[in-house]
């Protein structure tokens, strides 16, 4: 891919993720149907734009569009309304992470997200139920912190303490 195209894709991904964050903050402050609808519309449009990018260029890896734009793509994907799209990207991200073209944590977050959305236990414990502030079910919890350490995450107890303390 030519550098100009990669830079343009990076700017677009970051712009879209920033707009979604802005609308999310607005919806939290003003939980009206209008604000919630604007956020849902933004997420749908972002997912459609990301699908076009993925179809044409593959997953926007850090080596292709830069770390911040690749992370923006992941944020867009995590809020995309189409689980099938998320699953197909999960597999692309897994390969990119294995090849060192994007951070392993990108795969961790989308893998746990997809598992929870499918009603399956997550592998790394990154998804927490917002109502109970407890992690969704975890596969093989006895080895969880070892898996987390292997991908650069701290122990789950630390994550939960930070969450409870408002961090």
């Amino acid at each position: 891919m030519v550098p100009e195209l990669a830079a343009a894709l990076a700017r677009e991904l970051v712009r879209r993720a920033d707009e979604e964050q802005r609308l999310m903050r607005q919806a939290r402050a003003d939980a009206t149907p209008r604000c919630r609808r604007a956020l849902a519309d933004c997420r749908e449009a972002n997912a459609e734009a990301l699908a076009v990018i993925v179809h044409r260029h593959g997953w926007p890896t850090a080596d292709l569009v830069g770390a911040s734009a690749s992370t923006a793509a992941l944020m867009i994907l995590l809020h995309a309304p189409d689980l099938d799209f998320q699953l197909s990207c999960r597999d692309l991200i897994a390969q990119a992470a294995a090849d060192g073209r994007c951070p392993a944590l990108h795969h961790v977050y989308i893998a746990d997200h997809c598992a929870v959305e499918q009603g399956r236990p997550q592998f790394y414990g990154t998804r927490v139920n917002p109502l109970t502030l407890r992690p969704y079910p975890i596969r093989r919890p006895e080895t969880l912190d070892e898996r987390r350490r292997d991908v650069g995450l701290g122990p789950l107890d630390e994550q939960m303490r930070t969450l409870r303390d408002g961090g």
Side-chain angles (χ1 to χ4, degrees), residues 36-48:
R36 288 193 308 269
R37 182 75 248 158
L39 177 59
D41 290 346
C42 176
R43 287 178 170 171
E44 189 171 319
N46 285 353
E48 289 171 8

Side-chain angles (χ1 to χ4, degrees), residues 39-117:
L39 177 59
D41 290 346
C42 176
R43 287 178 170 171
E44 189 171 319
N46 285 353
E48 289 171 8
L50 181 60
V52 170
I53 291 169
V54 170
H55 178 74
R56 290 183 182 163
H57 308 288
W59 180 254
T61 57
D63 70 326
L64 183 66
V65 296
S68 61
S70 186
T71 299
L74 177 65
M75 295 298 103
I76 291 168
L77 180 64
L78 288 170
H79 296 136
D82 182 355
L83 180 59
D84 289 334
F85 176 57
Q86 291 172 330
L87 289 166
S88 66
C89 289
R90 176 199 62 190
D91 297 340
L92 295 173
I93 294 168
Q95 186 61 54
D99 294 344
R101 295 179 294 117
C102 77
L105 284 178
H106 287 194
H107 180 252
V108 166
Y109 287 112
I110 191 61
D112 274 1
H113 175 84
C114 289
V116 168
E117 293 301 309

